Amino acid sequence: AELLDARLHPTEGLTRSGEAMIMWVARPSIEAIDDFAHDLVEMVRSLAFDIDGEQIALTASVGVLHLTDDLGSTDFRRARAAVGDALQLAVERGGDQVAVANEGAPDRIERMFEIDRLQGYIDNSQLALAYQEIVSVGTATRCCELLLRILDPVTGQPRPPVDLISALERYGGITKLDTWVVDEALRLTQTTELGDYDHVCLNVSARSIGKADFVEYVAMRLAEAPHLATKLCFEITETATFGDLDTISEFMSTVIDGGAAIALDDFGAGATSFAKFSTLPIQKVKIDGQFVAGCLNEPVDRAIVLACVNIARARGVTTVAEAVETDEQQQFLIDSGVDFLQGYLLHRPELVTT
Ligand code: C2E
Ligand code: CA
Ligand code: CA
């Protein structure tokens, strides 16, 4: 540490972090910082010595993160993760190396960060499920959809998880979340007001349904609780059907064999679905909210809603219209023959009481 310290300017510093040292240096250019990092590697190498005639070599690995002068916007936790990852990369390259963060492995850095974040939410009980009613047109069947929420650590206020879900889908970690949701859905259906519903829908990511471990896990959980399984409906977003049809069908068959149902989410929003649709073993389609939003004023949206209803009917599949916000939309959807309605007009998502 003394040797390193001797190389620093008065405004710079260093601190120990586990087995590594973290230094912060201010230099006029990125090149100057890289030169500095390489000098450190050289310096450590030059410290080689011998004991009883045996050469002892010393190597150093340096991870570098360039910060801009706008330090106010720096997320230090993220910065530390990034520089740690760069260091790891330098070590993996064999030592005596300098690696710059974001140069070779930005994805790895992001992934580490997102999975950390999810684990933090799970450990701190910051994940929760809200439910939104799905109202039947003309029957007494009661359904609802479970929606993930993140609770603010201070106020306890729920917020939607869209950032988290897209990041986990991109960088990995979504299956851990989907597993948590499956467990919670089963637990809550048994112990809360959710038990009053005939069907409880839950969302699973397209990424997870292609994973053998996840499919097996779902099969096991459904087999353990057959009386609950018959209440569950797994919503799979329609973009999933762009993927490998065999794996998707396998997940769907597993769910159906387990006594639960499958809904195709965001129906109409993906182009190839109509062709593949006829081969998938599904019970429900959810007409995407964007078409509901346009169904009164946009002729194309209106036509898509009607097409969805017709196609679903031809297959004997139930339809649900999402994101119904006005009385006029509701009336149009009922007149069009939609079976179930969901949206702020009927019920705003609320946290399940636990
Ligand atoms: P989604 O499955 O299409 O869920 C419906 C979304 O529409 C929900 O947003 C819901 O709050 C919102 N919504 C309900 N009624 C209305 C309405 O009248 N108007 C409008 N504009 N929106 C309405 P949310 O909760 O933000 O969820 C967004 C997406 O995140 C979901 O879209 C789903 O794809 C995903 N998601 C939510 N929960 C989970 C989960 O537990 N697991 C996974 N893998 N994904 C989830
Ligand atoms: Ca959904
Ligand atoms: Ca949807």
Side-chain angles (χ1 to χ4, degrees):
E2 269 168 39
L3 285 171
L4 295 174
D5 201 36
R7 302 201 160 220
L8 294 177
H9 298 166
T11 57
E12 300 172 339
L14 90 172
T15 181
R16 186 169 281 283
S17 168
E19 292 183 345
M21 305 288 296
I22 295 180
M23 309 174 79
W24 52 99
V25 295
R27 299 292 152 106
S29 67
I30 286 175
E31 291 74 28
I33 290 179
D34 288 347
D35 288 347
F36 178 75
H38 283 101
D39 284 350
L40 293 181
V41 171
E42 261 326 299
M43 180 194 82
V44 172
R45 207 210 309 261
S46 73
L47 296 176
F49 54 94
D50 63 48
I51 300 176
D52 299 337
E54 189 156 356
Q55 272 283 303
I56 307 292
L58 291 178
T59 62
S61 301
V62 183
V64 178
L65 175 69
H66 298 136
L67 296 171
T68 62
D69 51 6
D70 179 19
L71 282 180
S73 66
T74 303
D75 178 338
F76 284 98
R77 206 171 101 80
R78 203 179 173 104
R80 205 180 54 190
V83 82
D85 204 62
L87 174 60
Q88 183 65 32
L89 203 63
V91 172
E92 281 170 15
R93 285 178 186 165
D96 272 341
Q97 298 279 340
V98 175
V100 180
N102 286 332
E103 169 200 61
D107 271 17
R108 262 183 30 181
I109 293 163
E110 289 294 334
R111 185 184 310 140
M112 247 172 43
F113 192 72
E114 290 309 328
I115 291 173
D116 251 28
R117 189 147 72 108
L118 173 64
Q119 192 58 52
Y121 290 143
I122 293 176
D123 293 345
N124 302 323
S125 308
Q126 265 179 276
L127 294 185
L129 290 172
Y131 70 103
Q132 183 178 31
E133 293 200 14
I134 301 173
V135 177
S136 167
V137 178
T139 82
T141 310
R142 297 188 67 202
C143 303
C144 66
E145 176 179 2
L146 297 177
L147 296 162
L148 185 73
R149 293 292 178 264
I150 297 163
L151 305 178
D152 184 281
V154 180
T155 64
Q157 279 300 104
R159 71 174 166 83
V162 182
D163 287 358
L164 178 72
I165 289 173
S166 58
L168 291 171
E169 286 189 327
R170 186 144 168 236
Y171 300 116
I174 189 70
T175 305
K176 184 174 201 160
L177 175 70
D178 287 328
T179 305
W180 183 88
V181 172
V182 170
D183 289 343
E184 270 306 271
L186 283 161
R187 187 177 74 82
L188 297 174
T189 304
Q190 192 160 36
T191 58
T192 70
E193 68 259 43
L194 293 185
D196 299 339
Y197 288 88
D198 300 300
H199 295 288
V200 174
C201 303
L202 61 149
N203 293 282
V204 289
S205 161
R207 301 245 168 226
S208 297
I209 68 174
K211 292 198 180 148
D213 286 0
F214 183 74
V215 179
E216 228 169 84
Y217 184 74
V218 169
M220 181 193 81
R221 294 300 327 257
L222 295 179
E224 275 169 12
H227 58 295
L228 295 176
T230 52
K231 289 196 168 202
L232 296 188
C233 173
F234 289 74
E235 295 194 1
I236 296 165
T237 182
E238 195 219 7
T239 50
T241 58
F242 287 124
D244 171 10
L245 215 55
D246 285 345
T247 40
I248 294 158
S249 301
E250 191 181 326
F251 177 79
M252 292 183 172
S253 312
T254 300
V255 165
I256 289 161
D257 292 347
I262 295 283
L264 203 54
D265 210 345
D266 308 326
F267 192 51
T272 63
S273 64
F274 289 144
K276 291 181 176 176
F277 178 65
S278 59
T279 64
L280 294 171
I282 61 178
Q283 286 75 45
K284 273 185 214 183
V285 295
K286 302 193 73 172
I287 302 169
D288 194 66
Q290 75 185 86
F291 307 118
V292 172
C295 72
L296 298 176
N297 303 316
E298 300 291 333
V300 173
D301 290 346
R302 194 184 184 86
I304 290 175
V305 170
L306 294 170
C308 289
V309 173
N310 279 327
I311 291 167
R313 251 200 210 138
R315 275 261 341 247
V317 163
T318 308
T319 47
V320 182
E322 295 181 329
V324 183
E325 293 183 353
T326 68
D327 289 322
E328 292 75 18
Q329 289 169 350
Q330 171 169 252
Q331 198 53 54
F332 169 76
L333 294 162
I334 293 172
D335 293 344
S336 306
V338 171
D339 301 304
F340 288 87
L341 304 170
Q342 177 179 7
Y344 297 155
L345 179 70
L346 301 131
H347 183 220
R348 291 222 164 225
E350 62 183 296
L351 289 178
V352 180
T353 20
T354 49

